[in-house]
């Protein structure tokens, strides 16, 4: 039997602006089954990013319900939401602005593991970081590099690695592959 992972009901996110209320997300309802992918398509400014951010509580919803595994997470306290947050991750559209430039690739990918205390020791952290670097296609030799030393595609792979390293159950991808470059030269 299919399992509903995320069930969104009548979600609204309005922004107060000088010109009045801007209805960025207006009465959106959908559900996503476990293991499924949903694409959101629309012209620039239609509210795609706002929807993703509101689902993860980066914006407070104006109204509506966001049920994650049967529990409404739209009105949880900060402390309660903190407990489910590792299960919900986001790959940002602009990876560079979300990365601390003073941290190495290895430190950036290890950070979510340390903050959420999911590994028992340094060795476990290192093994998990190596594993996820391999998964997202970041060469081991880049472990000690800083974001400014890398091209946009590799920076984006750090963002993907940081989102996936905690084994999330739901990932919001905000135009996650626009910066990725694949080695097509072998084909042409
Ligand atoms: N923090 C904010 N404050 C006020 N208005 C915003 C904010 N974020 C987005 N908007 C507005 O909400 C609308 C939807 O934006 P956005 O979700 O970024 O669209 P998309 O990702 O589909 O291009 C736009 O009109 C945008 O200007
Ligand atoms: Mg957007």
């Amino acid at each position: 039997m299919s399992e509903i992972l995320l069930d969104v009901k009548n979600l609204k996110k309005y922004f107060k602006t000088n010109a009045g209320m801007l209805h960025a997300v207006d009465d959106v309802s959908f559900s996503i089954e476990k293991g499924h992918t949903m694409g959101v398509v629309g012209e620039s400014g239609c509210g795609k990013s706002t929807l993703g951010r509101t689902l993860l509580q980066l914006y407070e919803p104006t109204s509506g319900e966001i049920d994650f595994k049967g529990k409404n997470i739209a009105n949880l306290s900060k402390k309660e939401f903190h407990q489910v947050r590792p299960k919900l991750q986001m790959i940002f559209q602009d990876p560079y602005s979300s990365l601390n430039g003073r941290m190495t690739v290895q430190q950036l990918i290890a950070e979510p593991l340390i903050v959420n205390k999911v590994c028992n020791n340094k060795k476990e952290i290192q093994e998990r970081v190596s594993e996820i670097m391999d998964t997202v296609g970041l060469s081991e030799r880049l472990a000690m590099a800083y974001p400014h030393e890398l091209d946009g595609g590799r920076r984006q792979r750090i963002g993907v690695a940081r989102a996936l390293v905690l084994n999330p159950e739901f990932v919001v991808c905000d135009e996650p592959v626009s910066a990725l470059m694949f080695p097509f030269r072998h084909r042409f």
Side-chain angles (χ1 to χ4, degrees):
M1 230 190 65
S2 64
E3 187 187 331
I4 301 289
L5 186 69
L6 197 77
D7 197 11
V8 177
K9 294 170 197 155
N10 308 106
L11 188 65
K12 297 181 185 179
K13 178 60 192 172
Y14 296 171
F15 293 111
K16 268 197 198 105
T17 70
N18 291 336
M21 279 294 186
L22 193 153
H23 296 199
V25 173
D26 206 3
D27 207 5
V28 170
S29 302
F30 60 89
S31 55
I32 302 176
E33 287 173 28
K34 191 174 173 178
H36 283 227
T37 304
M38 187 185 89
V40 179
V41 183
E43 65 192 45
S44 179
C46 74
K48 305 180 295 292
S49 295
T50 304
L51 172 63
R53 286 169 172 267
T54 309
L55 292 177
L56 297 201
Q57 314 279 307
L58 299 174
Y59 292 147
E60 194 185 335
T62 302
S63 67
E65 209 172 292
I66 304 165
D67 291 349
F68 176 65
K69 295 166 88 175
K71 188 176 180 186
N72 185 11
I73 56 167
N75 51 13
L76 293 182
S77 68
K78 273 220 163 95
K79 198 173 160 196
E80 286 172 315
F81 185 67
H82 200 73
Q83 285 169 354
V84 285
R85 185 66 177 81
K87 302 274 168 231
L88 310 161
Q89 292 294 317
M90 178 141 181
I91 300 172
F92 291 93
Q93 184 169 4
D94 175 7
Y96 200 37
S97 64
S98 62
L99 298 177
N100 181 344
R102 290 164 190 269
M103 289 166 78
T104 63
V105 170
Q106 189 174 3
Q107 288 170 333
L108 284 164
I109 300 173
E111 189 183 44
L113 297 172
I114 296 166
V115 169
N116 291 286
K117 300 188 178 76
V118 290
C119 291
N120 293 316
N121 52 51
K122 273 192 179 166
K123 186 162 170 279
E124 260 184 40
I125 292 174
Q126 256 169 14
E127 280 170 4
R128 181 67 185 135
V129 170
S130 293
E131 187 184 22
I132 205 80
M133 281 181 70
D134 188 49
T135 304
V136 303
L138 276 172
S139 161
E140 195 84 55
R141 72 187 159 78
L142 297 174
M144 303 312 280
Y146 289 91
H148 72 267
E149 298 172 318
L150 305 177
D151 61 40
R154 292 202 175 88
R155 284 179 201 154
Q156 183 64 320
R157 286 172 203 268
I158 302 174
V160 176
R162 278 164 61 87
L164 300 186
V165 75
L166 291 171
N167 279 327
E169 293 180 54
F170 178 71
V171 184
V172 172
C173 306
D174 194 352
E175 305 198 23
V177 292
S178 44
L180 288 187
M181 289 191 297
F182 295 100
F184 285 129
R185 63 176 179 275
H186 297 300
R187 282 209 204 143
F188 298 118

